[in-house]
Amino acid sequence: MIKYTEDHEWVKVEGDTAVVGITVHAQDALGDVVFVDLPAVGASLAQKATAGVVESVKAAADVYMPVSGEIIEVNAALRDDPSLANSDPLGAGWFFKVKLSDASQLDALMDETSYTTFSAN
């Protein structure tokens, strides 16, 4: 199951863990990503808290926690090659993994159809 936020993050749920990244729409708007600042492993962050930053040749944008939880892994390959956020935003360009503390928060996020409509406006 993949869910989406109004801040253009995607969340792929795998049991009690979620993989988080930025959407195709977000990376298109940012342009060429040149730097990412990822959260610390072990950090517990609340939903909507700033979890990191993505910088491109055009702008910088915060990456927000789509759900509350503990950061259990970050994508070290993304630090070494930030362009993965552009070339494969829904795959190799993932940002971090979070152990869900309240799975019910996923219910408020958008499904793909809703997000596609939202991001077209």
Side-chain angles (χ1 to χ4, degrees):
M1 168 178 61
I2 297 180
K3 296 282 203 156
Y4 300 86
T5 71
E6 291 183 356
D7 295 310
H8 306 288
E9 289 92 18
W10 58 266
V11 183
K12 182 178 180 184
V13 180
E14 301 172 341
D16 66 348
T17 301
V19 182
V20 178
I22 62 171
T23 65
V24 172
H25 177 83
Q27 69 84 29
D28 280 346
L30 284 167
D32 293 335
V33 175
V34 296
F35 175 77
V36 294
D37 181 28
L38 301 172
V41 172
S44 290
L45 300 171
Q47 185 179 36
K48 299 186 180 182
T50 301
V53 175
V54 59
E55 294 182 12
S56 72
V57 294
K58 291 198 274 185
D62 289 334
V63 177
Y64 298 102
M65 287 292 286
V67 290
S68 299
E70 178 186 348
I71 304 299
I72 58 171
E73 186 179 347
V74 296
N75 187 352
L78 189 61
R79 279 192 177 128
D80 296 337
D81 185 5
S83 70
L84 289 172
N86 295 116
S87 63
D88 192 9
L90 300 175
W94 63 275
F95 279 58
F96 55 87
K97 294 182 181 180
V98 58
K99 182 171 177 62
L100 302 172
S101 62
D102 183 357
S104 70
Q105 292 175 335
L106 294 164
D107 296 339
L109 303 180
M110 292 177 273
D111 62 16
E112 186 172 1
T113 303
S114 298
Y115 178 73
T116 300
T117 302
F118 170 81
S119 61
N121 295 329

mmCIF file with all atom_site columns, all heavy atoms in Angstrom, residues 72-100:
data_model
loop_
_atom_site.group_PDB
_atom_site.id
_atom_site.type_symbol
_atom_site.label_atom_id
_atom_site.label_alt_id
_atom_site.label_comp_id
_atom_site.label_asym_id
_atom_site.label_entity_id
_atom_site.label_seq_id
_atom_site.pdbx_PDB_ins_code
_atom_site.Cartn_x
_atom_site.Cartn_y
_atom_site.Cartn_z
_atom_site.occupancy
_atom_site.B_iso_or_equiv
_atom_site.pdbx_formal_charge
_atom_site.auth_seq_id
_atom_site.auth_comp_id
_atom_site.auth_asym_id
_atom_site.auth_atom_id
_atom_site.pdbx_PDB_model_num
ATOM 1   N N   . ILE A 1 72  ? 14.303 4.195  11.540  1.00 0.00 ? 72  ILE A N   1
ATOM 2   C CA  . ILE A 1 72  ? 15.072 2.961  11.739  1.00 0.00 ? 72  ILE A CA  1
ATOM 3   C C   . ILE A 1 72  ? 16.148 2.756  10.675  1.00 0.00 ? 72  ILE A C   1
ATOM 4   O O   . ILE A 1 72  ? 17.036 1.932  10.855  1.00 0.00 ? 72  ILE A O   1
ATOM 5   C CB  . ILE A 1 72  ? 14.157 1.717  11.828  1.00 0.00 ? 72  ILE A CB  1
ATOM 6   C CG1 . ILE A 1 72  ? 13.297 1.571  10.579  1.00 0.00 ? 72  ILE A CG1 1
ATOM 7   C CG2 . ILE A 1 72  ? 13.285 1.784  13.076  1.00 0.00 ? 72  ILE A CG2 1
ATOM 8   C CD1 . ILE A 1 72  ? 12.534 0.252  10.512  1.00 0.00 ? 72  ILE A CD1 1
ATOM 9   N N   . GLU A 1 73  ? 16.066 3.518  9.590   1.00 0.00 ? 73  GLU A N   1
ATOM 10  C CA  . GLU A 1 73  ? 17.079 3.402  8.538   1.00 0.00 ? 73  GLU A CA  1
ATOM 11  C C   . GLU A 1 73  ? 16.995 4.628  7.641   1.00 0.00 ? 73  GLU A C   1
ATOM 12  O O   . GLU A 1 73  ? 15.913 5.182  7.430   1.00 0.00 ? 73  GLU A O   1
ATOM 13  C CB  . GLU A 1 73  ? 16.824 2.132  7.714   1.00 0.00 ? 73  GLU A CB  1
ATOM 14  C CG  . GLU A 1 73  ? 17.884 1.816  6.693   1.00 0.00 ? 73  GLU A CG  1
ATOM 15  C CD  . GLU A 1 73  ? 17.609 0.528  5.915   1.00 0.00 ? 73  GLU A CD  1
ATOM 16  O OE1 . GLU A 1 73  ? 16.725 -0.258 6.318   1.00 0.00 ? 73  GLU A OE1 1
ATOM 17  O OE2 . GLU A 1 73  ? 18.287 0.317  4.894   1.00 0.00 ? 73  GLU A OE2 1
ATOM 18  N N   . VAL A 1 74  ? 18.140 5.063  7.128   1.00 0.00 ? 74  VAL A N   1
ATOM 19  C CA  . VAL A 1 74  ? 18.170 6.120  6.115   1.00 0.00 ? 74  VAL A CA  1
ATOM 20  C C   . VAL A 1 74  ? 18.881 5.566  4.879   1.00 0.00 ? 74  VAL A C   1
ATOM 21  O O   . VAL A 1 74  ? 19.644 4.601  4.964   1.00 0.00 ? 74  VAL A O   1
ATOM 22  C CB  . VAL A 1 74  ? 18.866 7.408  6.614   1.00 0.00 ? 74  VAL A CB  1
ATOM 23  C CG1 . VAL A 1 74  ? 18.083 8.032  7.765   1.00 0.00 ? 74  VAL A CG1 1
ATOM 24  C CG2 . VAL A 1 74  ? 20.305 7.150  7.002   1.00 0.00 ? 74  VAL A CG2 1
ATOM 25  N N   . ASN A 1 75  ? 18.623 6.177  3.754   1.00 0.00 ? 75  ASN A N   1
ATOM 26  C CA  . ASN A 1 75  ? 19.183 5.730  2.486   1.00 0.00 ? 75  ASN A CA  1
ATOM 27  C C   . ASN A 1 75  ? 20.557 6.369  2.284   1.00 0.00 ? 75  ASN A C   1
ATOM 28  O O   . ASN A 1 75  ? 20.661 7.470  1.749   1.00 0.00 ? 75  ASN A O   1
ATOM 29  C CB  . ASN A 1 75  ? 18.229 6.082  1.348   1.00 0.00 ? 75  ASN A CB  1
ATOM 30  C CG  . ASN A 1 75  ? 18.660 5.500  0.024   1.00 0.00 ? 75  ASN A CG  1
ATOM 31  O OD1 . ASN A 1 75  ? 19.739 4.943  -0.105  1.00 0.00 ? 75  ASN A OD1 1
ATOM 32  N ND2 . ASN A 1 75  ? 17.795 5.637  -0.974  1.00 0.00 ? 75  ASN A ND2 1
ATOM 33  N N   . ALA A 1 76  ? 21.605 5.672  2.699   1.00 0.00 ? 76  ALA A N   1
ATOM 34  C CA  . ALA A 1 76  ? 22.972 6.181  2.570   1.00 0.00 ? 76  ALA A CA  1
ATOM 35  C C   . ALA A 1 76  ? 23.334 6.414  1.101   1.00 0.00 ? 76  ALA A C   1
ATOM 36  O O   . ALA A 1 76  ? 24.087 7.342  0.784   1.00 0.00 ? 76  ALA A O   1
ATOM 37  C CB  . ALA A 1 76  ? 23.955 5.219  3.222   1.00 0.00 ? 76  ALA A CB  1
ATOM 38  N N   . ALA A 1 77  ? 22.806 5.596  0.200   1.00 0.00 ? 77  ALA A N   1
ATOM 39  C CA  . ALA A 1 77  ? 23.092 5.767  -1.227  1.00 0.00 ? 77  ALA A CA  1
ATOM 40  C C   . ALA A 1 77  ? 22.586 7.117  -1.725  1.00 0.00 ? 77  ALA A C   1
ATOM 41  O O   . ALA A 1 77  ? 23.196 7.729  -2.608  1.00 0.00 ? 77  ALA A O   1
ATOM 42  C CB  . ALA A 1 77  ? 22.460 4.636  -2.030  1.00 0.00 ? 77  ALA A CB  1
ATOM 43  N N   . LEU A 1 78  ? 21.503 7.612  -1.150  1.00 0.00 ? 78  LEU A N   1
ATOM 44  C CA  . LEU A 1 78  ? 20.947 8.907  -1.538  1.00 0.00 ? 78  LEU A CA  1
ATOM 45  C C   . LEU A 1 78  ? 21.864 10.044 -1.109  1.00 0.00 ? 78  LEU A C   1
ATOM 46  O O   . LEU A 1 78  ? 21.992 11.043 -1.816  1.00 0.00 ? 78  LEU A O   1
ATOM 47  C CB  . LEU A 1 78  ? 19.548 9.072  -0.934  1.00 0.00 ? 78  LEU A CB  1
ATOM 48  C CG  . LEU A 1 78  ? 18.724 10.251 -1.400  1.00 0.00 ? 78  LEU A CG  1
ATOM 49  C CD1 . LEU A 1 78  ? 18.447 10.188 -2.896  1.00 0.00 ? 78  LEU A CD1 1
ATOM 50  C CD2 . LEU A 1 78  ? 17.418 10.301 -0.625  1.00 0.00 ? 78  LEU A CD2 1
ATOM 51  N N   . ARG A 1 79  ? 22.506 9.893  0.051   1.00 0.00 ? 79  ARG A N   1
ATOM 52  C CA  . ARG A 1 79  ? 23.488 10.907 0.481   1.00 0.00 ? 79  ARG A CA  1
ATOM 53  C C   . ARG A 1 79  ? 24.640 10.976 -0.513  1.00 0.00 ? 79  ARG A C   1
ATOM 54  O O   . ARG A 1 79  ? 25.117 12.048 -0.849  1.00 0.00 ? 79  ARG A O   1
ATOM 55  C CB  . ARG A 1 79  ? 24.039 10.554 1.857   1.00 0.00 ? 79  ARG A CB  1
ATOM 56  C CG  . ARG A 1 79  ? 23.160 10.935 2.991   1.00 0.00 ? 79  ARG A CG  1
ATOM 57  C CD  . ARG A 1 79  ? 23.921 10.801 4.306   1.00 0.00 ? 79  ARG A CD  1
ATOM 58  N NE  . ARG A 1 79  ? 23.090 11.229 5.405   1.00 0.00 ? 79  ARG A NE  1
ATOM 59  C CZ  . ARG A 1 79  ? 22.879 10.506 6.484   1.00 0.00 ? 79  ARG A CZ  1
ATOM 60  N NH1 . ARG A 1 79  ? 23.437 9.324  6.627   1.00 0.00 ? 79  ARG A NH1 1
ATOM 61  N NH2 . ARG A 1 79  ? 22.111 10.973 7.449   1.00 0.00 ? 79  ARG A NH2 1
ATOM 62  N N   . ASP A 1 80  ? 25.090 9.806  -0.972  1.00 0.00 ? 80  ASP A N   1
ATOM 63  C CA  . ASP A 1 80  ? 26.214 9.750  -1.902  1.00 0.00 ? 80  ASP A CA  1
ATOM 64  C C   . ASP A 1 80  ? 25.828 10.186 -3.307  1.00 0.00 ? 80  ASP A C   1
ATOM 65  O O   . ASP A 1 80  ? 26.658 10.725 -4.038  1.00 0.00 ? 80  ASP A O   1
ATOM 66  C CB  . ASP A 1 80  ? 26.781 8.324  -1.959  1.00 0.00 ? 80  ASP A CB  1
ATOM 67  C CG  . ASP A 1 80  ? 27.368 7.868  -0.632  1.00 0.00 ? 80  ASP A CG  1
ATOM 68  O OD1 . ASP A 1 80  ? 27.737 8.732  0.196   1.00 0.00 ? 80  ASP A OD1 1
ATOM 69  O OD2 . ASP A 1 80  ? 27.443 6.645  -0.412  1.00 0.00 ? 80  ASP A OD2 1
ATOM 70  N N   . ASP A 1 81  ? 24.585 9.949  -3.694  1.00 0.00 ? 81  ASP A N   1
ATOM 71  C CA  . ASP A 1 81  ? 24.104 10.264 -5.034  1.00 0.00 ? 81  ASP A CA  1
ATOM 72  C C   . ASP A 1 81  ? 22.688 10.842 -4.960  1.00 0.00 ? 81  ASP A C   1
ATOM 73  O O   . ASP A 1 81  ? 21.710 10.141 -5.208  1.00 0.00 ? 81  ASP A O   1
ATOM 74  C CB  . ASP A 1 81  ? 24.123 9.008  -5.910  1.00 0.00 ? 81  ASP A CB  1
ATOM 75  C CG  . ASP A 1 81  ? 23.743 9.291  -7.360  1.00 0.00 ? 81  ASP A CG  1
ATOM 76  O OD1 . ASP A 1 81  ? 23.551 10.473 -7.726  1.00 0.00 ? 81  ASP A OD1 1
ATOM 77  O OD2 . ASP A 1 81  ? 23.621 8.314  -8.127  1.00 0.00 ? 81  ASP A OD2 1
ATOM 78  N N   . PRO A 1 82  ? 22.576 12.141 -4.598  1.00 0.00 ? 82  PRO A N   1
ATOM 79  C CA  . PRO A 1 82  ? 21.246 12.753 -4.447  1.00 0.00 ? 82  PRO A CA  1
ATOM 80  C C   . PRO A 1 82  ? 20.395 12.692 -5.707  1.00 0.00 ? 82  PRO A C   1
ATOM 81  O O   . PRO A 1 82  ? 19.173 12.778 -5.634  1.00 0.00 ? 82  PRO A O   1
ATOM 82  C CB  . PRO A 1 82  ? 21.558 14.205 -4.068  1.00 0.00 ? 82  PRO A CB  1
ATOM 83  C CG  . PRO A 1 82  ? 22.954 14.190 -3.549  1.00 0.00 ? 82  PRO A CG  1
ATOM 84  C CD  . PRO A 1 82  ? 23.656 13.077 -4.273  1.00 0.00 ? 82  PRO A CD  1
ATOM 85  N N   . SER A 1 83  ? 21.020 12.512 -6.862  1.00 0.00 ? 83  SER A N   1
ATOM 86  C CA  . SER A 1 83  ? 20.245 12.462 -8.106  1.00 0.00 ? 83  SER A CA  1
ATOM 87  C C   . SER A 1 83  ? 19.318 11.257 -8.170  1.00 0.00 ? 83  SER A C   1
ATOM 88  O O   . SER A 1 83  ? 18.410 11.210 -9.012  1.00 0.00 ? 83  SER A O   1
ATOM 89  C CB  . SER A 1 83  ? 21.178 12.470 -9.323  1.00 0.00 ? 83  SER A CB  1
ATOM 90  O OG  . SER A 1 83  ? 21.880 11.241 -9.422  1.00 0.00 ? 83  SER A OG  1
ATOM 91  N N   . LEU A 1 84  ? 19.496 10.277 -7.269  1.00 0.00 ? 84  LEU A N   1
ATOM 92  C CA  . LEU A 1 84  ? 18.555 9.150  -7.209  1.00 0.00 ? 84  LEU A CA  1
ATOM 93  C C   . LEU A 1 84  ? 17.137 9.634  -6.923  1.00 0.00 ? 84  LEU A C   1
ATOM 94  O O   . LEU A 1 84  ? 16.163 8.990  -7.332  1.00 0.00 ? 84  LEU A O   1
ATOM 95  C CB  . LEU A 1 84  ? 18.982 8.146  -6.133  1.00 0.00 ? 84  LEU A CB  1
ATOM 96  C CG  . LEU A 1 84  ? 20.233 7.317  -6.420  1.00 0.00 ? 84  LEU A CG  1
ATOM 97  C CD1 . LEU A 1 84  ? 20.638 6.527  -5.179  1.00 0.00 ? 84  LEU A CD1 1
ATOM 98  C CD2 . LEU A 1 84  ? 19.999 6.396  -7.603  1.00 0.00 ? 84  LEU A CD2 1
ATOM 99  N N   . ALA A 1 85  ? 17.001 10.762 -6.223  1.00 0.00 ? 85  ALA A N   1
ATOM 100 C CA  . ALA A 1 85  ? 15.677 11.329 -5.947  1.00 0.00 ? 85  ALA A CA  1
ATOM 101 C C   . ALA A 1 85  ? 14.993 11.754 -7.240  1.00 0.00 ? 85  ALA A C   1
ATOM 102 O O   . ALA A 1 85  ? 13.764 11.785 -7.304  1.00 0.00 ? 85  ALA A O   1
ATOM 103 C CB  . ALA A 1 85  ? 15.780 12.503 -4.986  1.00 0.00 ? 85  ALA A CB  1
ATOM 104 N N   . ASN A 1 86  ? 15.788 12.079 -8.273  1.00 0.00 ? 86  ASN A N   1
ATOM 105 C CA  . ASN A 1 86  ? 15.227 12.427 -9.578  1.00 0.00 ? 86  ASN A CA  1
ATOM 106 C C   . ASN A 1 86  ? 15.048 11.208 -10.467 1.00 0.00 ? 86  ASN A C   1
ATOM 107 O O   . ASN A 1 86  ? 14.002 11.037 -11.088 1.00 0.00 ? 86  ASN A O   1
ATOM 108 C CB  . ASN A 1 86  ? 16.137 13.422 -10.320 1.00 0.00 ? 86  ASN A CB  1
ATOM 109 C CG  . ASN A 1 86  ? 16.242 14.756 -9.643  1.00 0.00 ? 86  ASN A CG  1
ATOM 110 O OD1 . ASN A 1 86  ? 17.312 15.130 -9.204  1.00 0.00 ? 86  ASN A OD1 1
ATOM 111 N ND2 . ASN A 1 86  ? 15.139 15.479 -9.543  1.00 0.00 ? 86  ASN A ND2 1
ATOM 112 N N   . SER A 1 87  ? 16.046 10.369 -10.531 1.00 0.00 ? 87  SER A N   1
ATOM 113 C CA  . SER A 1 87  ? 16.028 9.262  -11.490 1.00 0.00 ? 87  SER A CA  1
ATOM 114 C C   . SER A 1 87  ? 15.108 8.120  -11.068 1.00 0.00 ? 87  SER A C   1
ATOM 115 O O   . SER A 1 87  ? 14.570 7.416  -11.918 1.00 0.00 ? 87  SER A O   1
ATOM 116 C CB  . SER A 1 87  ? 17.442 8.743  -11.726 1.00 0.00 ? 87  SER A CB  1
ATOM 117 O OG  . SER A 1 87  ? 18.005 8.213  -10.540 1.00 0.00 ? 87  SER A OG  1
ATOM 118 N N   . ASP A 1 88  ? 14.924 7.932  -9.756  1.00 0.00 ? 88  ASP A N   1
ATOM 119 C CA  . ASP A 1 88  ? 14.085 6.826  -9.275  1.00 0.00 ? 88  ASP A CA  1
ATOM 120 C C   . ASP A 1 88  ? 13.421 7.216  -7.947  1.00 0.00 ? 88  ASP A C   1
ATOM 121 O O   . ASP A 1 88  ? 13.678 6.597  -6.915  1.00 0.00 ? 88  ASP A O   1
ATOM 122 C CB  . ASP A 1 88  ? 14.937 5.560  -9.115  1.00 0.00 ? 88  ASP A CB  1
ATOM 123 C CG  . ASP A 1 88  ? 14.103 4.303  -8.911  1.00 0.00 ? 88  ASP A CG  1
ATOM 124 O OD1 . ASP A 1 88  ? 12.859 4.366  -9.055  1.00 0.00 ? 88  ASP A OD1 1
ATOM 125 O OD2 . ASP A 1 88  ? 14.700 3.253  -8.609  1.00 0.00 ? 88  ASP A OD2 1
ATOM 126 N N   . PRO A 1 89  ? 12.560 8.249  -7.959  1.00 0.00 ? 89  PRO A N   1
ATOM 127 C CA  . PRO A 1 89  ? 12.005 8.761  -6.699  1.00 0.00 ? 89  PRO A CA  1
ATOM 128 C C   . PRO A 1 89  ? 11.155 7.763  -5.927  1.00 0.00 ? 89  PRO A C   1
ATOM 129 O O   . PRO A 1 89  ? 11.085 7.841  -4.699  1.00 0.00 ? 89  PRO A O   1
ATOM 130 C CB  . PRO A 1 89  ? 11.181 9.980  -7.122  1.00 0.00 ? 89  PRO A CB  1
ATOM 131 C CG  . PRO A 1 89  ? 10.874 9.744  -8.566  1.00 0.00 ? 89  PRO A CG  1
ATOM 132 C CD  . PRO A 1 89  ? 12.050 8.980  -9.114  1.00 0.00 ? 89  PRO A CD  1
ATOM 133 N N   . LEU A 1 90  ? 10.532 6.813  -6.616  1.00 0.00 ? 90  LEU A N   1
ATOM 134 C CA  . LEU A 1 90  ? 9.675  5.844  -5.938  1.00 0.00 ? 90  LEU A CA  1
ATOM 135 C C   . LEU A 1 90  ? 10.385 4.517  -5.675  1.00 0.00 ? 90  LEU A C   1
ATOM 136 O O   . LEU A 1 90  ? 9.773  3.567  -5.196  1.00 0.00 ? 90  LEU A O   1
ATOM 137 C CB  . LEU A 1 90  ? 8.398  5.598  -6.749  1.00 0.00 ? 90  LEU A CB  1
ATOM 138 C CG  . LEU A 1 90  ? 7.534  6.832  -6.983  1.00 0.00 ? 90  LEU A CG  1
ATOM 139 C CD1 . LEU A 1 90  ? 6.353  6.501  -7.889  1.00 0.00 ? 90  LEU A CD1 1
ATOM 140 C CD2 . LEU A 1 90  ? 7.052  7.427  -5.686  1.00 0.00 ? 90  LEU A CD2 1
ATOM 141 N N   . GLY A 1 91  ? 11.669 4.467  -5.978  1.00 0.00 ? 91  GLY A N   1
ATOM 142 C CA  . GLY A 1 91  ? 12.439 3.242  -5.789  1.00 0.00 ? 91  GLY A CA  1
ATOM 143 C C   . GLY A 1 91  ? 13.735 3.524  -5.047  1.00 0.00 ? 91  GLY A C   1
ATOM 144 O O   . GLY A 1 91  ? 13.736 3.789  -3.845  1.00 0.00 ? 91  GLY A O   1
ATOM 145 N N   . ALA A 1 92  ? 14.853 3.513  -5.784  1.00 0.00 ? 92  ALA A N   1
ATOM 146 C CA  . ALA A 1 92  ? 16.180 3.690  -5.183  1.00 0.00 ? 92  ALA A CA  1
ATOM 147 C C   . ALA A 1 92  ? 16.359 5.057  -4.532  1.00 0.00 ? 92  ALA A C   1
ATOM 148 O O   . ALA A 1 92  ? 17.260 5.244  -3.714  1.00 0.00 ? 92  ALA A O   1
ATOM 149 C CB  . ALA A 1 92  ? 17.264 3.468  -6.236  1.00 0.00 ? 92  ALA A CB  1
ATOM 150 N N   . GLY A 1 93  ? 15.483 6.005  -4.846  1.00 0.00 ? 93  GLY A N   1
ATOM 151 C CA  . GLY A 1 93  ? 15.583 7.350  -4.283  1.00 0.00 ? 93  GLY A CA  1
ATOM 152 C C   . GLY A 1 93  ? 14.806 7.553  -2.995  1.00 0.00 ? 93  GLY A C   1
ATOM 153 O O   . GLY A 1 93  ? 14.555 8.687  -2.593  1.00 0.00 ? 93  GLY A O   1
ATOM 154 N N   . TRP A 1 94  ? 14.437 6.463  -2.304  1.00 0.00 ? 94  TRP A N   1
ATOM 155 C CA  . TRP A 1 94  ? 13.733 6.595  -1.018  1.00 0.00 ? 94  TRP A CA  1
ATOM 156 C C   . TRP A 1 94  ? 14.617 7.334  -0.011  1.00 0.00 ? 94  TRP A C   1
ATOM 157 O O   . TRP A 1 94  ? 15.838 7.346  -0.136  1.00 0.00 ? 94  TRP A O   1
ATOM 158 C CB  . TRP A 1 94  ? 13.288 5.231  -0.486  1.00 0.00 ? 94  TRP A CB  1
ATOM 159 C CG  . TRP A 1 94  ? 14.406 4.270  -0.172  1.00 0.00 ? 94  TRP A CG  1
ATOM 160 C CD1 . TRP A 1 94  ? 15.029 3.428  -1.057  1.00 0.00 ? 94  TRP A CD1 1
ATOM 161 C CD2 . TRP A 1 94  ? 15.026 4.046  1.094   1.00 0.00 ? 94  TRP A CD2 1
ATOM 162 N NE1 . TRP A 1 94  ? 16.000 2.700  -0.412  1.00 0.00 ? 94  TRP A NE1 1
ATOM 163 C CE2 . TRP A 1 94  ? 16.021 3.055  0.902   1.00 0.00 ? 94  TRP A CE2 1
ATOM 164 C CE3 . TRP A 1 94  ? 14.846 4.570  2.371   1.00 0.00 ? 94  TRP A CE3 1
ATOM 165 C CZ2 . TRP A 1 94  ? 16.831 2.585  1.944   1.00 0.00 ? 94  TRP A CZ2 1
ATOM 166 C CZ3 . TRP A 1 94  ? 15.652 4.102  3.406   1.00 0.00 ? 94  TRP A CZ3 1
ATOM 167 C CH2 . TRP A 1 94  ? 16.632 3.132  3.184   1.00 0.00 ? 94  TRP A CH2 1
ATOM 168 N N   . PHE A 1 95  ? 13.992 7.956  0.987   1.00 0.00 ? 95  PHE A N   1
ATOM 169 C CA  . PHE A 1 95  ? 14.730 8.776  1.955   1.00 0.00 ? 95  PHE A CA  1
ATOM 170 C C   . PHE A 1 95  ? 15.008 8.054  3.270   1.00 0.00 ? 95  PHE A C   1
ATOM 171 O O   . PHE A 1 95  ? 16.131 8.012  3.728   1.00 0.00 ? 95  PHE A O   1
ATOM 172 C CB  . PHE A 1 95  ? 13.964 10.077 2.234   1.00 0.00 ? 95  PHE A CB  1
ATOM 173 C CG  . PHE A 1 95  ? 14.185 11.134 1.188   1.00 0.00 ? 95  PHE A CG  1
ATOM 174 C CD1 . PHE A 1 95  ? 13.874 10.891 -0.147  1.00 0.00 ? 95  PHE A CD1 1
ATOM 175 C CD2 . PHE A 1 95  ? 14.687 12.360 1.523   1.00 0.00 ? 95  PHE A CD2 1
ATOM 176 C CE1 . PHE A 1 95  ? 14.077 11.854 -1.116  1.00 0.00 ? 95  PHE A CE1 1
ATOM 177 C CE2 . PHE A 1 95  ? 14.892 13.342 0.566   1.00 0.00 ? 95  PHE A CE2 1
ATOM 178 C CZ  . PHE A 1 95  ? 14.587 13.095 -0.755  1.00 0.00 ? 95  PHE A CZ  1
ATOM 179 N N   . PHE A 1 96  ? 13.949 7.523  3.897   1.00 0.00 ? 96  PHE A N   1
ATOM 180 C CA  . PHE A 1 96  ? 14.144 6.870  5.200   1.00 0.00 ? 96  PHE A CA  1
ATOM 181 C C   . PHE A 1 96  ? 13.031 5.869  5.470   1.00 0.00 ? 96  PHE A C   1
ATOM 182 O O   . PHE A 1 96  ? 12.002 5.878  4.799   1.00 0.00 ? 96  PHE A O   1
ATOM 183 C CB  . PHE A 1 96  ? 14.240 7.893  6.345   1.00 0.00 ? 96  PHE A CB  1
ATOM 184 C CG  . PHE A 1 96  ? 13.075 8.842  6.439   1.00 0.00 ? 96  PHE A CG  1
ATOM 185 C CD1 . PHE A 1 96  ? 11.943 8.509  7.164   1.00 0.00 ? 96  PHE A CD1 1
ATOM 186 C CD2 . PHE A 1 96  ? 13.117 10.077 5.812   1.00 0.00 ? 96  PHE A CD2 1
ATOM 187 C CE1 . PHE A 1 96  ? 10.871 9.379  7.257   1.00 0.00 ? 96  PHE A CE1 1
ATOM 188 C CE2 . PHE A 1 96  ? 12.044 10.961 5.897   1.00 0.00 ? 96  PHE A CE2 1
ATOM 189 C CZ  . PHE A 1 96  ? 10.922 10.611 6.622   1.00 0.00 ? 96  PHE A CZ  1
ATOM 190 N N   . LYS A 1 97  ? 13.286 5.028  6.480   1.00 0.00 ? 97  LYS A N   1
ATOM 191 C CA  . LYS A 1 97  ? 12.279 4.069  6.935   1.00 0.00 ? 97  LYS A CA  1
ATOM 192 C C   . LYS A 1 97  ? 11.925 4.416  8.368   1.00 0.00 ? 97  LYS A C   1
ATOM 193 O O   . LYS A 1 97  ? 12.788 4.795  9.167   1.00 0.00 ? 97  LYS A O   1
ATOM 194 C CB  . LYS A 1 97  ? 12.811 2.632  6.862   1.00 0.00 ? 97  LYS A CB  1
ATOM 195 C CG  . LYS A 1 97  ? 13.060 2.177  5.434   1.00 0.00 ? 97  LYS A CG  1
ATOM 196 C CD  . LYS A 1 97  ? 13.534 0.745  5.371   1.00 0.00 ? 97  LYS A CD  1
ATOM 197 C CE  . LYS A 1 97  ? 13.790 0.329  3.926   1.00 0.00 ? 97  LYS A CE  1
ATOM 198 N NZ  . LYS A 1 97  ? 14.258 -1.064 3.832   1.00 0.00 ? 97  LYS A NZ  1
ATOM 199 N N   . VAL A 1 98  ? 10.650 4.279  8.683   1.00 0.00 ? 98  VAL A N   1
ATOM 200 C CA  . VAL A 1 98  ? 10.146 4.640  10.004  1.00 0.00 ? 98  VAL A CA  1
ATOM 201 C C   . VAL A 1 98  ? 9.319  3.492  10.572  1.00 0.00 ? 98  VAL A C   1
ATOM 202 O O   . VAL A 1 98  ? 8.538  2.875  9.853   1.00 0.00 ? 98  VAL A O   1
ATOM 203 C CB  . VAL A 1 98  ? 9.334  5.961  9.940   1.00 0.00 ? 98  VAL A CB  1
ATOM 204 C CG1 . VAL A 1 98  ? 8.173  5.861  8.979   1.00 0.00 ? 98  VAL A CG1 1
ATOM 205 C CG2 . VAL A 1 98  ? 8.859  6.400  11.293  1.00 0.00 ? 98  VAL A CG2 1
ATOM 206 N N   . LYS A 1 99  ? 9.540  3.198  11.834  1.00 0.00 ? 99  LYS A N   1
ATOM 207 C CA  . LYS A 1 99  ? 8.713  2.223  12.548  1.00 0.00 ? 99  LYS A CA  1
ATOM 208 C C   . LYS A 1 99  ? 7.478  2.985  13.029  1.00 0.00 ? 99  LYS A C   1
ATOM 209 O O   . LYS A 1 99  ? 7.588  3.933  13.807  1.00 0.00 ? 99  LYS A O   1
ATOM 210 C CB  . LYS A 1 99  ? 9.466  1.612  13.724  1.00 0.00 ? 99  LYS A CB  1
ATOM 211 C CG  . LYS A 1 99  ? 8.649  0.552  14.460  1.00 0.00 ? 99  LYS A CG  1
ATOM 212 C CD  . LYS A 1 99  ? 9.518  -0.179 15.469  1.00 0.00 ? 99  LYS A CD  1
ATOM 213 C CE  . LYS A 1 99  ? 8.761  -1.193 16.268  1.00 0.00 ? 99  LYS A CE  1
ATOM 214 N NZ  . LYS A 1 99  ? 8.192  -2.270 15.509  1.00 0.00 ? 99  LYS A NZ  1
ATOM 215 N N   . LEU A 1 100 ? 6.328  2.596  12.544  1.00 0.00 ? 100 LEU A N   1
ATOM 216 C CA  . LEU A 1 100 ? 5.085  3.312  12.832  1.00 0.00 ? 100 LEU A CA  1
ATOM 217 C C   . LEU A 1 100 ? 4.745  3.261  14.322  1.00 0.00 ? 100 LEU A C   1
ATOM 218 O O   . LEU A 1 100 ? 4.787  2.194  14.932  1.00 0.00 ? 100 LEU A O   1
ATOM 219 C CB  . LEU A 1 100 ? 3.932  2.706  12.044  1.00 0.00 ? 100 LEU A CB  1
ATOM 220 C CG  . LEU A 1 100 ? 4.081  2.683  10.523  1.00 0.00 ? 100 LEU A CG  1
ATOM 221 C CD1 . LEU A 1 100 ? 2.962  1.871  9.902   1.00 0.00 ? 100 LEU A CD1 1
ATOM 222 C CD2 . LEU A 1 100 ? 4.118  4.086  9.968   1.00 0.00 ? 100 LEU A CD2 1
#
